[in-house]
Structures are given as structure tokens and as C-alpha cells.
Amino acid sequence: MRDASPQTVFLKDYTPPEYLIEQIELNFDLDEQHTQVRSTLSLRRNPQSQDSSTALTLLGEELQLVSIAIDGQALEQSQYLLGEEALVVHEVPQDRPFQIVIENVINPQANTALEGLYLSSSMLCTQCEAQGFRKITWFLDRPDVMSRFKTTLTGDKSKYPVLLSNGNKIGQGELENNRHWVSWEDPFAKPCYLFALVAGQLECVADEFITMTGRRIALEIFVEQHNIDKCDHAMQSLKNAMHWDEETYGLEYDLDLYMIVAVDHFNMGAMENKGLNVFNTKFVLARPDTATDSDYEHIEGVIGHEYFHNWSGNRVTCRDWFQLSLKEGFTVFRDQQFSGDRTSPAVKRIEDVNALRTRQFAEDAGPLAHPIRPEAYIEINNFYTLTVYEKGAEVVRMLHTLLDAAGFRKGCDLYFQRHDGQAVTCEDFVKALEDANGVELKQFRLWYSQAGTPVLTVSQQYDSESQQLHLTIQQNCPPTPNQPVKAPLHIPVKLGLLAADGSAAQIHYNDSSQAEITLNVTEAEQTFSFAQLPQPPVVSLLRGFSAPVTLKMERSLDELAFLLRHDSDTFNRWEAGQQLAVQVIFKLIDAIELGRPLQLEPVIVDAYRSVLIDSSGDLSYQALLLALPEESYLSGQMAVIDVEAIHQAREFVKKTLAEQLQVEFKQLYQQHHRDESGSFDAGAVGRRRLKNACLSYLSKLENQDVYHIAEQQFYSARNMTDQLTALSAIVNSNHPAKARSLDSFYVQWRQEALVIDKWFTLQATSSMPNTFATVQALMKHPAFDMKTPNRVRSLIGAFSQANPLHFHAINGEGYRFLADQVLALNTLNPQIASRMVTGLAQWRRYDAARQGLMKQQLQRIVATEHLSKDVYEIASKSLA
């Protein structure tokens, strides 16, 4: 049995807080096992509250109360009620401001959930979003209570020579017994989820940034001493982000100091605490020999994301946690813009859409589907989802499309001006965009409240007599939990037309003539007509992936190959290649199910040959054009997922392309293979991506020549991108040096935790036989640690979420393994445990045998005693 049934929180039940905390003074006496906290809260009754109670309820968990006083008068036990999750003071002043002083004790070392104040290696640090502050002291732990914080940290000078908190340092001093103190003050009111504290033995990399108004901002990155040589890229990324936000949104940083701290134990990627960002080391540390090109790009993107939160999340924050996408969707959109401007807009857009369609669309199609603004939750940590973040960003992108860049900027300016220093809602954001542009977006708001991925079904008819093209677009959104029927959405659909020679055909529509237009699809079915077309054009629809929808439109293989060669829209050109491969692969799946011999369509060989010989443009983009659809994306296209047939068909396509185009693959590999250690310009990154894409294909040939190429690249590589790609080619083949190469890699990098994470993941995601036995063995490896989230994700998460072939083995061993690990994590780190459960959530998408096996493990999880509400919510919703 579980603990007492967890309570559901509903958006409809929101009420303003009964009290406001205008200021809080925190005093910490730091110790790994016995940290003493003294909080002084300056409160007053909230005039907007309709509650008539004279009691005050402060939230707190896992706290040991020492004392409580109001206006200097200590309270007797009869004057308050202390529960497991709250401290209720029966009577507090109603007609004047008052002060409460609370003293309590916490044990950071015992805090394996990594929420509140916890120990990471020898460092003390905090994570307070969403509801971690209540594990530090009793408080009105909700985002619409914004307070000014003053924090004093005291600790042993040898253990904690560095003492950091939010804002500006206002004092420091020495104490007896080798102790010292530092005081910090944040001049800006903020919700408690943005509070941060870090104490430990840290080294600092310092720099500065001069703002557009000439202010000097001190920049400091704190890491453990052995990582001091891996901070240069993060520092440059921070300066790039600050400059970009000034140029693009006119937003300037507001404090005189901006700090980042990298910690090993962190449940998420990073946290935007005001002036003191706490980061997972994965998104700070980089050196050419330890970090891949992808790592470098992700670091810059995450650094930018957390910096951009200073305005879209901190200065303007969420009224309640149902509005999470207000800050996260908006800020993801901003970091996507930033990363695209810094690298390749085409490649960035494709990578973002690829992740959305493979992972978020699956979330939309399963039992965990929810709108980007949910209506209810049991555990808020479970709503840090792809829907809230990635789909939320797509909703903001659609607003950008509808208003154009200038109109969107105008709306954002009004939003920041109107709501600076406030806790607001998604409605407030859209309203500012409307008011700034004089438009009405009532129907568009449905994107915030309706779950699921809309399906656009498109048919076309060309009339040669009138020289008109008629496009009929039907929209439909499948049922999702608690939403069986959906209203039509406002969907912007970008359109281009191509003439027979591949050139752009003018679009004559509504008395205008353009090369590209945006159609406003607002009804369940609409027909759009385009005139002055002497020949039937080829339609390029949903350009730039202008809306997060599934597009159904009949296309021949030849038409898709034509678009792959000629479409000027970089996303749709790539998409044509993907859909060409999808059609070919599904024909092969049909042949597999019917027991017929497999043959590859010549059209795809010719199409990929044309991509291989056209190396005149962006090499990173060319590498993406060569990539086949992932197995997870292909799974999303099947009513009943056949993991073996998908894998077999995709592998057949890849191997056959390698066989028939091996001359071209080898030539391209040799043309771009060179030692470029330390070079991360677009040219070097593109050359590595393209040559490694070729190596991935060539490795399917399983011959001595390719074995030699892979091994030579592995041992001669001077950057992690080349070394890891070569090792992947070795691990996912019958290469005779596989075991030796894996051992060599481990010995070389055993002191670098982030690199060893890659080593675990590479083996966990291998498609070769005996992978499950390898994963079981790695669970007992000395380097594996269940208390380290990155290590859990690198092995358990990678196997269950990125290795469908072996995780979904028909004997159910993968499902039993995952359930075992979820239950082990449940008592250690419920937040990480709940994220692992999602590997079982799509059980209804598989055949009857697998359905039964997955369902059995979910039922086993739900029936477990003392199940955390984090895990219970995901598992129970998956079964509903």
C-alpha cells in the first residue's frame, strides 16, 4: 500500500495569499549534518485576500523546530500547530505589520532528494524550484509571495572558504575557531524559489561585461579546483548571451554581479536563481578533449537560457505553478533564437523540431498528455515536462510568426514594462502582445488550455482551366485525458510553391503576390485558393515547422525527392528527405511482416547521392540531410509499435545506402577528416559532423577497411567529438577491438565524470546483442552511483528511453529492470525516479504481450508501500 493518498491541486482553486512577506532575513550556521537556520519574516495581511481566518499557515518539510516568536514574544506550544508539512500559528496580528522569527535545524547530508539545502561532494548548495525552500525553513512557499532577501552565512573557513547567496555582498568578517561570515542582500523582491546558497571549497574564474549603458558587471564562475581549466567557454557564452539579450530584446542586467556555480549533484540542467545560478556541471564544463561539439552548443544554450530568465522568469515571474510555461516556454524560445543566431538557424530549428516530434509528440499521445498550462497536478515537479518547455516554446514561436519580429518585440517590451516586479499569468503575456499590436488572439489562447498534437490533413486540387490551386486543410486534435473533444485552434501555416524547374512560384492570394505566405487556419475545414498558376506547382507546406502539428498530405516518392533537391526552405527540404525515408522504411516493414525479401527503392539512393555530392553549403546542415529518421520517431508513426521490424528496416536502409554509396561516403570522409582540436568555428564543427555522419554509415559495412578507419580515428582523435563518434562506430559493430577500445577510453578518462557518463550511455544504447547483460554489469561498476542524477540518466535513463530494441525485449526483462530501479530511486530521489517511470507510460502503444508486461510493472510500482507522490502521480496516470 501507499502512504496517505496525495492531494490534487487545481488551477481553478487559486486564491491570493492571505499574507505577504515583504522582507526575510536568513541566518545560516552551516554544517553538513546540523545546519541551523534563523529566519526573520516581516509580514502583513494581504488586502487582496478574501480569507477571514486569523491564522497563519507556513509550509515546511523535514525541518526540526527550535523556536518561534512573534514581535519578540516566544510562542507556547498551544499557540501553534506543527504538522509534517505545515506550521500553523493560530493568531497573528491583522491590523498591522508584524515580525515572526523562526529557528530550525536541517540535515543537508541526509537530503538525497536534492531539494532544499543538500550536500554535493563536499559542497553545500540549494535547489528551491519548485518547492524546495520549504525544506530550508517555514515560509509561504508559493511564487506569488515576493520578498526582499538578506542572507548571512556562517561556517568553518576550511570547509567553506566560499560563501555565496543572491544579490550583492554587503559584509564579511572573521570569527573565533577558524570561522567566518558573509552577508548578501538582494535589492529586488523575488519568490523564494529563486533563493540560492552555495558554500564550499571553490575556485573562481572572473571576468566582466560592460552593458549597453556603460555599467560594469562582474562575472564569476565557481567550480571545484580540478575543473578550473574548463570554464572559458561558459564564460564566453555568458557574455554572448548578455550582449544578445541587449541587442534583440533591449534587456540589460540589473545587478552589479552575476555568478554561476557548477555542482555534480543536480536534478535538472540549471537554475536561474537571482544573480547566483546553480548549474549541473554538464552545462558548464568544457574542454576540447572532454566535451563534444554538441556539448559546447548545449552549454551556450543553457547558459543563455538561465541568463534570459533574469527578465522572463525573475523580474516577471509566475503567479502560480500552473503558469510555468509563462517563463519556461518563453525562455526556451529565446534560447532557441540565441543558439540559432550563434550557430546555424537551419540546423538549430531542425534539431529542436526533431526532439519535439520524437519525444513531446509521444507525451501528447499518451496518458500523461496535458496542456502547456495544466489544470491540475499532484506533484509540481512532474510538470517540468517537454510539453511545458518545448511545446510552450512552439506556442510562443507561433505568436512571433503571427505578429512578425517587430510586433513580437513591441509586445514583449510592453509585457516587461507593464509587469516588472510582478507575479503574473500566461493570459497577461498574451494580453500584452494583443494590446501592443492592436490584435485579438482569443482563439489562439486555446493552445494554452488544450492538450494533444493537432493533425492537419491536406488535400490539393489543381484546375488547369482557371489556373488555380485549391488547398483544403482539415484540423483535428485527438482525444486526451479529460479532453475528449477539442475546439479548432488558430494555426499559422507557412506556404511556398515550387515550379517544375524547382524555382519559387509566386503566390497570388488576397490581392497580393509573394514568394511565401502564412495561412491562418482557424476552422475545422478551410479551403485556400491560389491563382495565376499556369502549371500545377509543388506545394511546400508548414515551412519552418510553423506550428507544432502533424501534417498528413499524400506525397509520392518522386515528389519528396524533388523537394529534397529544390525546396528553398531549409526545414522543408530536410523534412522531405525524412518523409522519403519514412515511406521507404514503412514499405520495408510491410515486407518484413509479410516475409518478403527486402529491396531498397532506387529513388532514395539517388536522392542521398545528390546530397552527398552537394557540399557547397552549410556542412552541418548537409550532415542532417543524410540522417535517417530515428527509431523513436518511426515508432510514433505506427498504431501498434513493432520495435524489431522498425530496427530491421532502418538498419537495412542504412546498410544498403552504405553499400551502394560507399565510394561517395569514403570520399567525403577523407575530404573532411583532419585534426582540428580546439577549433569550434562553424567550418570545423561542420566538417566533423559531416565526416562522422559518413563514418556512421560506413561502419555498417563491417569490413576490415572501415574497422581500421574507426580505430585509427579513435586513437588519433584530439577532440571528444571525433573520439566518441569513432568509439560509437566500434561499439555498434563487430569490431574485434571493441572491448579493448572501451577499456582504453575508461582508463583515459576515469577522472572525468562527465566523460564517463558518455561511456555508460554509449554502452547502454548499443544495438548489439547482449546489451542488457552489459547494462546489468554496469550497474555494479565502481563508477556507477545511484545518488548521482547524471550517472542514473547516463545508464538507466539512456537504456530505457534511448534503446527501444533492447528495452522492449519481448521477455520483459527491460521492464522489470526499470521498475526495480524506479523503486530503488523512490526512497533516494523521488524526482529522478518519477522521470524514469515515463519509460513505461506508453504501454498501450505496443502489442498485447508487451502491454501486459509493462502494465504489470506499473501496477507493481503503484502497489509499493511508501511510494512518493512524484512516482505515484506518473505511474497511476499511466495506468488510468
Side-chain angles (χ1 to χ4, degrees):
M1 61 180 290
R2 293 178 290 100
D3 290 341
S5 297
Q7 298 297 308
T8 300
V9 181
F10 294 94
L11 171 60
K12 64 181 176 61
D13 293 336
Y14 171 83
T15 57
E18 289 82 15
Y19 298 89
L20 301 175
I21 303 176
E22 297 188 326
Q23 185 166 327
I24 174 172
E25 292 191 22
L26 289 165
N27 287 269
F28 290 85
D29 192 342
L30 298 167
D31 182 80
E32 292 182 2
Q33 296 178 299
H34 192 87
T35 288
Q36 299 175 61
V37 184
R38 186 175 189 268
S39 60
T40 303
L41 314 180
S42 299
L43 298 99
R44 64 180 174 90
R45 185 80 188 188
N46 182 7
Q48 295 183 356
S49 173
Q50 302 299 312
D51 192 284
S52 59
S53 171
T54 58
L56 169 67
T57 299
L58 300 174
L59 301 172
E61 296 178 11
E62 301 170 21
L63 306 174
Q64 178 185 339
L65 180 64
V66 175
S67 66
I68 178 172
I70 295 182
D71 291 337
Q73 185 69 41
L75 298 188
E76 302 291 337
Q77 284 192 342
S78 61
Q79 294 177 283
Y80 62 86
L81 176 65
L82 181 60
E84 289 188 4
E85 297 185 355
L87 172 63
V88 181
V89 182
H90 299 313
E91 294 284 342
V92 296
Q94 300 296 301
D95 57 351
R96 62 176 174 81
F98 60 99
Q99 193 174 81
I100 288 186
V101 178
I102 301 173
E103 295 187 27
N104 64 272
V105 175
I106 50 181
N107 183 350
Q109 189 176 66
N111 183 2
T112 60
L114 311 185
E115 294 179 286
L117 179 65
Y118 65 90
L119 187 67
S120 174
S121 301
S122 61
M123 184 193 322
L124 291 173
C125 58
T126 56
Q127 170 54 31
C128 294
E129 187 178 357
Q131 295 174 341
F133 193 77
R134 65 188 62 180
K135 293 186 176 183
I136 294 174
T137 190
W138 282 276
F139 201 74
L140 293 176
D141 188 358
R142 45 189 291 170
D144 57 351
V145 174
M146 301 178 70
S147 313
R148 294 188 306 279
F149 279 69
K150 179 181 177 182
T151 306
T152 298
L153 309 176
T154 303
D156 184 284
K157 198 169 182 179
S158 299
K159 286 184 177 181
Y160 313 118
V162 174
L163 299 170
L164 307 175
S165 191
N166 310 82
N168 299 314
K169 185 186 294 187
I170 59 171
Q172 59 186 345
E174 304 294 321
L175 299 170
E176 295 180 352
N177 300 320
N178 194 41
R179 291 163 59 76
H180 69 143
W181 62 272
V182 179
S183 288
W184 298 83
E185 187 171 47
D186 187 346
F188 297 99
K190 64 175 179 283
C192 64
Y193 82 84
L194 292 171
F195 171 76
L197 174 166
V198 175
Q201 298 172 349
L202 298 166
E203 299 292 330
C204 177
V205 174
D207 206 331
E208 70 172 10
F209 179 80
I210 300 175
T211 71
M212 58 187 176
T213 61
R215 293 174 50 242
R216 290 184 179 274
I217 310 298
L219 310 178
E220 297 178 345
I221 298 179
F222 292 87
V223 295
E224 293 178 283
Q225 196 279 329
H226 63 276
N227 289 322
I228 197 71
D229 61 340
K230 304 186 188 80
C231 299
D232 290 350
H233 177 66
M235 182 63 80
Q236 186 59 51
S237 297
L238 176 57
K239 292 194 286 187
N240 292 341
M242 296 176 82
H243 177 73
W244 184 89
D245 214 22
E246 290 183 348
E247 289 287 310
T248 310
Y249 285 90
L251 300 174
E252 182 174 300
Y253 185 61
D254 47 9
L255 291 171
D256 297 326
L257 173 64
Y258 191 95
M259 298 175 286
I260 289 172
V261 182
V263 301
D264 288 330
H265 298 79
F266 205 68
N267 284 340
M268 298 184 284
M271 179 59 209
E272 70 269 17
N273 315 299
K274 183 71 180 186
L276 177 58
N277 291 180
V278 179
F279 269 66
N280 188 322
T281 51
K282 181 177 180 179
F283 296 108
V284 173
L285 306 179
R287 204 174 61 201
D289 58 331
T290 62
T292 64
D293 294 340
S294 179
D295 291 333
Y296 270 77
E297 291 177 359
H298 286 150
I299 287 168
E300 185 163 51
V302 176
I303 292 275
H305 179 97
E306 306 308 333
Y307 174 75
F308 301 147
H309 264 314
N310 187 63
W311 280 90
S312 51
N314 294 7
R315 290 286 289 256
V316 183
T317 195
C318 301
R319 185 196 72 177
D320 54 74
W321 289 119
F322 296 101
Q323 318 297 330
L324 182 58
S325 198
L326 172 76
K327 73 182 185 81
E328 295 300 348
F330 185 19
T331 305
V332 169
F333 170 69
R334 276 152 50 72
D335 82 54
Q336 289 175 350
Q337 283 186 300
F338 168 63
S339 295
D341 288 348
R342 291 284 306 154
T343 55
S344 162
V347 170
K348 177 61 178 168
R349 184 62 183 142
I350 289 167
E351 290 175 343
D352 290 338
V353 173
N354 211 14
L356 182 86
R357 297 197 307 192
T358 54
R359 299 169 61 208
Q360 193 280 321
F361 277 21
E363 193 167 270
D364 259 354
L368 304 178
H370 58 276
I372 67 168
R373 184 186 59 207
E375 297 295 325
Y377 64 79
I378 293 174
E379 170 50 62
I380 183 54
N381 285 324
N382 288 333
F383 275 108
Y384 283 73
T385 61
L386 291 160
T387 297
V388 166
Y389 279 67
E390 310 304 329
K391 185 175 180 179
E394 294 298 318
V395 170
V396 175
R397 185 179 293 273
M398 286 189 288
L399 289 166
H400 186 275
T401 297
L402 291 169
L403 299 174
D404 72 39
F408 185 78
R409 166 66 191 272
K410 188 162 60 172
C412 290
D413 288 348
L414 180 60
Y415 171 70
F416 293 127
Q417 174 190 339
R418 179 181 284 177
H419 298 296
D420 189 12
Q422 297 179 14
V424 299
T425 67
C426 297
E427 177 73 20
D428 292 318
F429 176 68
V430 179
K431 186 69 166 62
L433 298 179
E434 285 180 322
D435 291 350
N437 290 277
V439 298
E440 186 269 314
L441 296 167
K442 181 179 179 181
Q443 185 180 7
F444 186 86
R445 284 177 172 79
L446 291 172
W447 281 101
Y448 285 90
S449 58
Q450 287 191 176
T453 303
V455 178
L456 296 187
T457 303
V458 181
S459 59
Q460 55 182 314
Q461 180 183 5
Y462 176 74
D463 186 331
S464 56
E465 288 189 11
S466 64
Q467 297 187 351
Q468 285 190 333
L469 172 70
H470 306 287
L471 277 183
T472 299
I473 302 178
Q474 297 174 314
Q475 65 162 297
N476 174 62
C477 194
T480 52
N482 302 315
Q483 289 188 342
V485 179
K486 312 293 176 69
L489 294 161
H490 183 176
I491 304 175
V493 178
K494 285 189 177 181
L495 169 73
L497 300 176
L498 277 67
D501 62 357
S503 63
Q506 285 295 105
I507 302 172
H508 299 277
Y509 182 70
N510 284 350
D511 300 321
S512 67
S513 177
Q514 301 172 61
E516 180 181 275
I517 64 170
T518 299
L519 305 176
N520 288 289
V521 178
T522 57
E523 300 172 17
E525 180 174 325
Q526 282 174 270
T527 297
F528 301 90
S529 299
F530 312 98
Q532 300 180 43
L533 294 166
Q535 300 293 329
V538 176
V539 176
S540 173
L541 203 62
L542 203 67
R543 285 187 153 191
F545 199 68
S546 58
V549 301
T550 296
L551 181 63
K552 291 188 175 181
M553 184 176 183
E554 287 191 12
R555 300 276 203 185
S556 68
L557 295 179
D558 288 337
E559 187 176 25
L560 291 168
F562 175 86
L563 287 167
L564 175 60
R565 288 187 176 91
H566 299 295
D567 203 325
S568 60
D569 182 79
T570 52
F571 175 82
N572 271 13
R573 185 184 174 201
W574 170 82
E575 174 67 351
Q578 294 292 289
Q579 294 309 315
L580 173 63
V582 167
Q583 286 198 31
V584 169
I585 289 170
F586 274 102
K587 284 185 179 181
L588 291 168
I589 289 173
D590 290 341
I592 290 168
E593 292 175 347
L594 294 171
R596 294 175 179 169
L598 304 185
Q599 292 184 323
L600 191 63
E601 297 273 358
V603 64
I604 194 171
V605 179
D606 292 339
Y608 274 62
R609 180 180 287 110
S610 70
V611 172
L612 282 165
I613 62 178
D614 178 17
S615 57
S616 57
D618 182 342
L619 298 183
S620 291
Y621 178 65
Q622 186 181 5
L624 279 180
L625 291 178
L626 290 171
L628 292 171
E630 296 295 329
E631 290 180 27
S632 52
Y633 176 75
L634 295 166
S635 296
Q637 314 306 304
M638 297 189 80
V640 178
I641 298 170
D642 187 336
V643 290
E644 289 97 345
I646 288 173
H647 180 73
Q648 183 182 345
R650 187 179 183 278
E651 286 292 291
F652 176 80
V653 172
K654 191 167 186 178
K655 183 177 180 181
T656 307
L657 287 172
E659 290 170 343
Q660 297 195 26
L661 300 172
Q662 61 179 298
V663 172
E664 290 88 345
F665 279 122
K666 282 184 178 179
Q667 285 178 345
L668 209 54
Y669 176 87
Q670 291 163 357
Q671 179 183 344
H672 296 296
H673 179 55
R674 65 191 73 173
D675 176 18
E676 294 183 290
S677 55
S679 298
F680 289 93
D681 59 276
V685 170
R687 285 188 289 273
R688 282 194 289 269
R689 279 183 172 165
L690 188 53
K691 73 154 184 197
N692 287 324
C694 293
L695 178 59
S696 179
Y697 274 95
L698 291 170
S699 67
K700 298 301 175 184
L701 298 176
E702 298 277 7
N703 62 41
Q704 292 301 318
D705 183 31
V706 177
Y707 288 165
H708 175 72
I709 291 173
E711 192 170 2
Q712 186 178 51
Q713 178 171 315
F714 174 72
Y715 284 105
S716 65
R718 295 295 176 267
N719 63 78
M720 184 51 64
T721 303
D722 283 350
Q723 188 177 29
L724 197 67
T725 304
L727 184 58
S728 177
I730 292 169
V731 168
N732 287 288
S733 72
N734 294 308
H735 199 296
K738 183 186 302 186
R740 175 163 53 85
S741 299
L742 281 167
D743 289 345
S744 172
F745 189 85
Y746 180 80
V747 169
Q748 181 182 2
W749 298 114
R750 62 183 179 273
Q751 301 302 322
E752 297 287 347
L754 296 176
V755 179
I756 297 305
D757 286 339
K758 302 178 194 298
W759 182 78
F760 276 102
T761 295
L762 200 58
Q763 296 174 82
T765 55
S766 172
S767 61
M768 302 301 286
N770 301 318
T771 291
F772 180 64
T774 299
V775 169
Q776 288 180 305
L778 288 171
M779 288 289 296
K780 300 175 183 177
H781 193 280
F784 183 75
D785 179 11
M786 283 285 272
K787 293 182 180 180
T788 304
N790 281 353
R791 199 52 46 93
V792 170
R793 285 185 283 258
S794 72
L795 182 59
I796 301 168
F799 175 71
S800 61
Q801 297 171 16
N803 194 338
L805 179 67
H806 293 301
F807 175 64
H808 292 288
I810 192 60
N811 61 10
E813 61 187 8
Y815 308 146
R816 288 192 296 275
F817 167 80
L818 180 60
D820 288 344
Q821 310 320 315
V822 166
L823 293 176
L825 285 163
N826 177 66
T827 55
L828 282 174
N829 191 328
Q831 192 176 140
I832 296 299
S834 70
R835 292 176 185 176
M836 295 296 111
V837 179
T838 57
L840 297 168
Q842 300 287 331
W843 61 276
R844 289 181 178 85
R845 299 289 312 283
Y846 293 86
D847 57 83
R850 287 182 172 87
Q851 281 190 27
L853 293 167
M854 296 172 84
K855 185 178 181 182
Q856 183 180 38
Q857 296 307 318
L858 284 168
Q859 290 171 332
R860 174 187 159 207
I861 291 170
V862 169
T864 299
E865 281 194 65
H866 307 304
L867 194 66
S868 67
K869 61 182 180 180
D870 308 62
V871 174
Y872 171 74
E873 179 173 27
I874 299 298
S876 61
K877 284 184 176 179
S878 298
L879 286 168

